[in-house]
């Protein structure tokens, strides 16, 4: 018997209004198709979508792109602000962002404080937030840290990189059953003593 998924994990969706130089196809149609596919996946499994940030490529997106996002964001969509979502990469400026428009329209649950939902306890770590282990009672539910922070699997991605490697980060984030990360567009999964760190990577190749 197949189990129903608890959640769909995403990150770095990066709705964008410009075509990357490397794309020679109809980028905007493909971008919309990917978002609609995510919506259909959420509808099929009737479970929440947990996103690790950077919903938009630019914090101030044009109105036509905001409309597309409003019309095609999955139901039960939980996210944290990433660096691309924030004016000046500063959480204090969140209210000026396109992501704040999604929240105001009740199309995205943008987490700035811990939230206890029926399916899990969610702990947000937006871009620039200090990561910390969990210290409260789990009340019998899974505990998920949603982090927009650079991490990587294996060897350092570039000389002089000072970001924390994924398994070390998972050790640091004690008390969470799942650590969901974003910022690195390369997907990978790391497991440690039954606990997971999932970096979904980006939905679109840019």
């Amino acid at each position: 018997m197949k189990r129903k998924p608890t959640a769909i994990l995403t990150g770095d969706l990066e709705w964008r209004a410009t075509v990357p130089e490397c794309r020679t196809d109809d980028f905007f149609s493909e971008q919309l198709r990917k978002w609609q596919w995510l919506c259909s996946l959420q509808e099929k499994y009737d479970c929440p979508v947990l996103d690790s940030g950077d919903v938009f490529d630019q914090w101030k997106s044009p109105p036509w792109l905001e409309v597309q996002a409003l019309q095609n964001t999955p139901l039960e969509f939980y996210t944290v602000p990433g660096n691309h979502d924030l004016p000046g990469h500063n959480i204090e400026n969140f209210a000026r962002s396109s992501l704040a428009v999604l929240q105001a329209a009740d199309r995205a649950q943008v987490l700035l404080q811990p939230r206890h939902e029926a399916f899990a306890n969610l702990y947000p770590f937006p871009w620039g937030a200090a990561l910390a282990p969990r210290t409260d009672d789990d009340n019998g539910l899974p505990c998920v840290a949603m982090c927009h922070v650079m991490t990587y699997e294996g060897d350092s991605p570039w000389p002089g990189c000072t970001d924390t490697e994924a398994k070390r980060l998972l050790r640091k984030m004690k008390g969470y059953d799942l650590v969901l990360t974003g910022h690195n567009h390369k997907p990978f999964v790391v497991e440690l003593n039954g606990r997971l760190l999932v970096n979904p990577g980006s939905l679109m190749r840019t």
Side-chain angles (χ1 to χ4, degrees):
M1 180 178 176
K2 292 184 178 180
R3 295 180 58 188
K4 175 185 172 181
T6 303
I8 297 166
L9 307 180
T10 66
D12 297 283
L13 300 172
E14 299 195 9
W15 275 101
R16 62 184 292 159
T18 58
V19 179
E21 291 184 8
C22 65
R23 297 296 295 245
T24 58
D25 57 349
D26 187 343
F27 177 79
F28 295 125
S29 293
E30 285 301 301
Q31 178 173 248
L32 183 58
R33 184 181 68 82
K34 286 288 185 71
W35 274 83
Q36 291 172 340
W37 168 79
L38 186 60
C39 288
S40 66
L41 199 65
Q42 191 280 327
E43 291 173 2
K44 177 181 178 180
Y45 293 110
D46 189 26
C47 64
V49 178
L50 304 183
D51 176 76
S52 56
D54 277 356
V55 172
F56 288 95
D57 180 61
Q58 298 288 333
W59 69 265
K60 187 179 181 181
S61 296
W64 68 265
L65 190 65
E66 291 180 342
V67 170
Q68 279 201 348
L70 286 167
Q71 294 174 338
N72 295 281
T73 297
L75 300 175
E76 293 188 79
F77 184 81
Y78 297 82
T79 188
V80 295
N83 56 307
H84 285 265
D85 294 315
L86 296 170
H89 297 179
N90 189 334
I91 192 66
E92 299 297 326
N93 299 327
F94 166 70
R96 297 167 49 202
S97 68
S98 291
L99 184 59
V101 173
L102 285 189
Q103 177 174 254
D106 203 26
R107 289 311 314 271
Q109 303 297 317
V110 182
L111 304 181
L112 301 177
Q113 299 293 333
R115 185 180 300 185
H116 303 293
E117 297 288 350
F119 62 91
N121 302 308
L122 305 177
Y123 300 82
F125 294 91
W127 176 257
L131 303 183
R134 184 181 62 81
T135 58
D136 62 349
D137 180 21
D138 64 11
N139 56 13
L141 292 173
C143 296
V144 181
M146 299 170 60
C147 317
H148 197 82
V149 61
M150 176 62 191
T151 188
Y152 58 93
E153 181 184 25
D155 296 333
S156 175
W158 58 80
C161 175
T162 59
D163 297 299
T164 306
E165 190 272 335
K167 191 157 283 189
R168 288 178 55 212
L169 183 61
L170 190 53
R171 288 193 185 98
K172 178 180 179 179
M173 298 295 281
K174 295 178 181 178
Y176 303 104
D177 303 290
L178 168 66
V179 177
L180 176 65
T181 59
H183 194 61
N184 186 350
H185 287 198
K186 182 178 180 179
F188 56 86
V189 178
V190 172
E191 187 270 341
L192 181 67
N193 300 325
R195 300 168 57 240
L196 292 176
L197 183 148
V198 177
N199 191 88
S202 183
L203 191 69
M204 293 290 291
R205 291 169 308 192
T206 56

